[in-house]
Amino acid sequence: MLAYILLSALFISLLSFVGILTMLFKEKVLSKVLLLLVAFSAGALLGGAFLHLLPEAIETAGEGGAFKIFIFVLLGFCLFYVLEDFISWHHHHSMSHSKESCCDKKIKPFSYLILISDGLHNFIDGLVIAAAFLVSLPAGLATVLAVALHEIPQELGDFGVLIYGGMKKSKALLFNFLSALLALVGGVAGYFISGFLGERIVYFLPLAAGHFIYIASSDLIPEIKKDFSLAKSLKHFIFFVLGVALMLLMKLAFE
């Protein structure tokens, strides 16, 4: 399974280069495409959590462990709630201190904060991918797909923020990739940690499910609901359902 983990984590890391696509599209077109990707990603994350990770965790833990599984889902949700609030506080704090020098050519402090927070996120993604593969191949593949679909719009956004923060495009791509490589570190760490955890590695799955549910419900869905119109809402909902449907098809295919 180590080969699957390494290849998957490397694939997630390489997605950092999709940021270069921001230079190929006009801002208005990119904004529309991003929102559709966000809607699709939200559906895929929820589908991955409810159709793959949680059923797999409950089946592995047995009926007696089902209650613990849902405790870990709540724990995962709360953990990322607190983590995101902490990162957001530092982000806004750094932004407020950089406003006075917004017109100079120096790299703004929040650019480095984005890289650090994204690196931590990628490391956790690597841990989650490793845990999922160690439980089962279908759970691992579903997790990689859900993470990848979430990473694409995020990496596009991160690249734009780094450019806005004063980085040259080549430097932004390099630093973003180095930050993304922490997914590989997380994957390797997850693989070796599993040796100490044994069967308890299964509890990483509900933690990951809580993570996915939090991202979809707190970050992604609110984004696609900001600019309300019936036509846009219908379009976003269709892409959301397509994301769920993709995970359902994967589930049916493996069964």
Side-chain angles (χ1 to χ4, degrees), residues 62-124:
E63 290 184 11
F67 181 73
K68 281 185 180 179
I69 293 297
F70 287 103
I71 291 293
F72 273 88
V73 173
L74 288 171
L75 183 61
F77 191 97
C78 293
L79 175 64
F80 287 96
Y81 181 109
V82 172
L83 180 62
E84 186 176 60
D85 275 359
F86 178 76
I87 290 170
S88 296
W89 180 83
H90 274 282
H91 184 193
H92 290 302
H93 185 68
S94 299
M95 285 283 281
S96 64
H97 279 283
S98 66
K99 280 181 180 177
E100 294 180 3
S101 59
C102 66
C103 296
D104 62 36
K105 294 183 179 180
K106 293 181 180 178
I107 297 172
K108 311 299 184 295
F110 68 83
S111 298
Y112 296 107
L113 184 64
I114 286 290
L115 289 169
I116 292 168
S117 61
D118 197 33
L120 176 60
H121 191 166
N122 288 322
F123 179 79
I124 293 169

Side-chain angles (χ1 to χ4, degrees), residues 8-234:
S8 299
L10 181 60
F11 168 67
I12 296 298
S13 299
L14 290 172
L15 286 177
S16 62
F17 287 109
V18 302
I20 202 168
L21 294 176
T22 58
M23 296 182 284
L24 303 178
F25 296 100
K26 292 182 179 178
E27 189 175 339
K28 190 175 180 180
V29 175
L30 184 64
S31 177
K32 290 180 181 179
V33 172
L34 272 176
L35 283 175
L36 293 177
L37 282 172
V38 165
F40 189 79
S41 173
L45 285 172
L46 289 176
F50 287 108
L51 299 176
H52 290 270
L53 298 184
L54 289 177
E56 192 73 48
I58 291 170
E59 184 180 338
T60 305
E63 290 184 11
F67 181 73
K68 281 185 180 179
I69 293 297
F70 287 103
I71 291 293
F72 273 88
V73 173
L74 288 171
L75 183 61
F77 191 97
C78 293
L79 175 64
F80 287 96
Y81 181 109
V82 172
L83 180 62
E84 186 176 60
D85 275 359
F86 178 76
I87 290 170
S88 296
W89 180 83
H90 274 282
H91 184 193
H92 290 302
H93 185 68
S94 299
M95 285 283 281
S96 64
H97 279 283
S98 66
K99 280 181 180 177
E100 294 180 3
S101 59
C102 66
C103 296
D104 62 36
K105 294 183 179 180
K106 293 181 180 178
I107 297 172
K108 311 299 184 295
F110 68 83
S111 298
Y112 296 107
L113 184 64
I114 286 290
L115 289 169
I116 292 168
S117 61
D118 197 33
L120 176 60
H121 191 166
N122 288 322
F123 179 79
I124 293 169
D125 283 342
L127 286 174
V128 166
I129 287 168
F133 271 116
L134 289 167
V135 171
S136 76
L137 180 61
L141 292 175
T143 301
V144 171
L145 183 58
V147 169
L149 291 172
H150 167 56
E151 281 295 311
I152 291 170
Q154 180 179 311
E155 293 297 346
L156 287 169
D158 284 350
F159 183 75
V161 170
L162 293 176
I163 297 298
Y164 173 78
M167 282 192 183
K168 292 181 179 179
K169 290 173 183 176
S170 57
K171 190 172 185 179
L173 277 173
L174 175 62
F175 276 38
N176 209 28
F177 176 63
L178 293 175
S179 174
L181 277 177
L182 285 172
L184 201 58
V185 177
V188 173
Y191 178 79
F192 287 106
I193 286 171
S194 67
F196 297 100
L197 294 177
E199 293 183 356
R200 286 173 292 181
I201 192 73
V202 71
Y203 292 110
F204 269 89
L205 295 189
L207 275 175
H211 176 200
F212 285 3
I213 294 166
Y214 177 79
I215 291 172
S217 60
S218 178
D219 293 335
L220 304 186
I221 292 175
E223 280 297 315
I224 60 178
K225 286 183 170 289
K226 279 183 180 178
D227 185 16
F228 179 80
S229 76
L230 187 59
K232 285 182 180 178
S233 292
L234 181 59

